[in-house]
Each structure stands twice: as structure tokens, then as C-alpha cells.
Amino acid sequence: GDLEEVVKMIPNVALDSQIPEVFGRIHSIESFSALDGHGIRCIVFLQGCLRRCVFCSNPDTWKTTDAGRMVSSKEIAKMIKRLVPYMKASGGGVTCSGGEPMMQAEFVAAVYQEAHELGVNTVLDTAGWGNQEDFDKVLPHTDRVMLCVKAMDPDRYTRVSGGLKQKTMLRFFKAICEKKIGLWIRLVLLPGETDNEEELRLTCEFGKTHPDFHGIELLPYHRLGQHKWEEMGIKYPMGDTPAMSEERVKWAMNFMTKEFPDVKIIR
């Protein structure tokens, strides 16, 4: 069901409970956002990612050490507490994004427990990372997952993600299916890679295998992060590939809504 319904089921426990204090490395925080989940949200962007996706617009989130800043889960909890009235009124909550949040599973789990104690929902914005131990830490405290699937064809997935195999994402997907955690799929529309009928159809079919599948968010490829690659002294892998055209975006949207009704364009 909707996240508003999920919130009603979250117990309002006293604030002195035994949630552990965990420190995590974050890139940044948006404390009053209407993106990455329902309602008004606090979005915690975690530092660190081992994928090297060719379309990445935030390569400054890759480094796992000597970057970002260390914060306590209790510090995040204080920030959430100030926003609770706005979050509850809008069905909002806390989103952990990245980087790759599942690389810091213990920290994410602590932040989500704090959110639930305050009576707001949790969303995990991930590309699917980790092992069963990580899943067991985070997923019991996760209300909704936004899963960036990269590509459905395994070879294309490896190309798009900078050399990584698809199996880690599939393992994560299996775990959220088993726990029946609500799912939104995210797919970057990448010229010449994911903007074809086969990829779009397979993405819809993949989502339908999940027991609580809510919809698909299409993210048209753009070049807004190119300067960050250059500032880091790394060649931009998309070269001169132009941003996805409006015409092509409309075509993809029309094609996908024939396969599955709930498709959004996210820019």
C-alpha cells in the first residue's frame, strides 16, 4: 500500500529506546526535499560507491575514505525530529541514497530505526549492494526501495555499470522480494543502451515478478555531471553523447505505459 498506510503501522516508541549510535560517512544531506520518495523528506546521501556507471553525475561520491564527513546516527535523528510535523503531514520520511547506501548497512539501519521511532517512513535509494548480513541489518527497517537496475541484459549491465556483474543487484532483488518490501524501479534512459524496446519490456517484466511492485521511474540521460569527472581528472565515458531527446523520452514513456501503467519521468 501507500507509504501513508505504512506509517500508521509504525509504533511510536519512547525516544529513550536502545537504538545504537552508529557513525557513517556521508556526502551531503538535503533536509527538506520533495524528491526520492513520497512527501517531505530528509535525504541522506552516503559517501562511497564501487560502481563506475558511465552516466554517473556524482563521481565525487565514489571515494570511501578521505571524503565526505563522519556523522552520528543520533545527529541525523535530531534533524529528523525537527522535520517530523512536516513529514507526517505529507506522508514523508527519510531516504538514504548515495553513493551506495548499502555499503554502510549498519549506519543506514540505525538511521532507519530512529526514523521509525519518530513515526516516519523510510526509503532506500540503491543499486542493490551487499550480502545477506547487510540485507538482514537494513531491510527489516526499510518501508520502500527505489532500485536503480542499470540494464536488464547482463552484458549491457556490465558495460553501463563500469565493469561490475549483475549478480549483486539480482541477489538484493531476491531479498526484497522475500521480504515483500514495496518497490519502485529506476532506469536511466541511456542512448544506444537502455532506450530500446527489449530493455524497456524486460524492465517491466522484471518489476512484475516482485510481490509489491509500485512503478517505474525513467531518468533521461543528461550531461550535468560531466564537469565533475573532468575536475577529478577522469575521462568522461559518454564522450560527446547528447542528452536524451524529448522525442525519445516520450517514445519510451508511451512504450512502457503499454506494458505497465505506473511510469514517471524523473529529471
Side-chain angles (χ1 to χ4, degrees):
D2 290 330
L3 281 177
E4 295 97 317
E5 295 304 312
V6 171
V7 172
K8 290 174 188 170
M9 296 185 284
I10 299 169
N12 247 330
V13 193
L15 280 176
D16 60 351
S17 79
Q18 300 304 304
I19 299 171
E21 179 173 29
V22 181
F23 285 83
R25 190 174 290 277
I26 69 163
H27 175 270
S28 54
I29 297 178
E30 281 185 30
S31 61
F32 207 84
S33 174
L35 300 173
D36 297 322
H38 193 81
I40 299 300
R41 309 200 70 77
C42 173
I43 308 178
V44 184
F45 294 95
L46 280 81
Q47 184 71 33
C49 185
L50 295 181
R51 288 186 177 88
R52 296 293 179 263
C53 299
V54 295
F55 53 73
C56 183
S57 54
N58 295 297
D60 48 325
T61 64
W62 290 348
K63 283 181 75 173
T64 53
T65 55
D66 304 321
R69 65 185 177 97
M70 293 297 288
V71 298
S72 157
S73 55
K74 299 293 181 184
E75 190 182 327
I76 304 287
K78 285 177 187 170
M79 184 178 292
I80 297 167
K81 192 174 181 182
R82 291 197 299 270
L83 295 167
V84 161
Y86 305 101
M87 290 174 172
K88 285 191 171 179
S90 62
V94 179
T95 299
C96 282
S97 185
E100 173 49 70
M102 286 299 295
M103 286 180 66
Q104 300 185 62
E106 204 168 330
F107 176 70
V108 172
V111 168
Y112 283 1
Q113 287 175 78
E114 298 284 2
H116 277 174
E117 183 156 285
L118 290 163
V120 297
N121 65 62
T122 60
V123 171
L124 182 65
D125 180 8
T126 177
W129 191 264
N131 54 32
Q132 192 61 47
E133 188 183 351
D134 298 321
F135 305 158
D136 289 343
K137 285 175 185 170
V138 175
L139 297 183
H141 312 292
T142 304
D143 297 320
R144 183 71 48 87
V145 168
M146 295 191 300
L147 179 62
C148 182
V149 295
K150 312 299 179 188
M152 288 290 103
D153 176 82
D155 293 333
R156 185 175 282 129
Y157 183 99
T158 299
R159 277 200 307 276
V160 167
S161 68
L164 270 72
K165 303 288 186 193
Q166 196 180 41
K167 62 183 180 183
T168 309
M169 185 274 285
L170 296 176
R171 192 164 58 223
F172 177 85
F173 180 75
K174 183 169 179 272
I176 61 171
C177 284
E178 286 169 357
K179 292 194 180 293
K180 298 183 173 61
I181 298 169
L183 171 70
W184 276 88
I185 280 179
R186 287 186 149 183
L187 177 69
V188 175
L189 278 178
L190 195 62
E193 293 286 10
T194 58
D195 64 335
N196 58 74
E197 289 190 3
E198 178 197 28
E199 277 292 332
L200 300 180
R201 188 182 67 255
L202 288 174
T203 301
C204 290
E205 289 174 5
F206 180 69
K208 288 174 189 175
T209 66
H210 187 284
D212 192 18
F213 178 43
H214 290 261
I216 296 168
E217 294 184 344
L218 294 175
L219 291 79
Y221 165 71
H222 59 70
R223 304 178 60 85
L224 298 180
Q226 180 183 356
H227 69 283
K228 294 184 183 178
W229 290 72
E230 291 163 356
E231 285 164 11
M232 291 168 65
I234 310 171
K235 185 181 177 185
Y236 186 57
M238 293 301 290
D240 296 326
T241 305
M244 184 66 68
S245 71
E246 278 302 310
E247 187 183 359
R248 196 70 180 154
V249 172
K250 282 178 186 167
W251 169 83
M253 179 79 175
N254 289 338
F255 179 85
M256 284 198 110
T257 48
K258 289 173 190 165
E259 301 282 327
F260 189 81
D262 292 314
V263 183
K264 297 186 213 171
I265 304 290
I266 304 291
R267 299 186 189 277

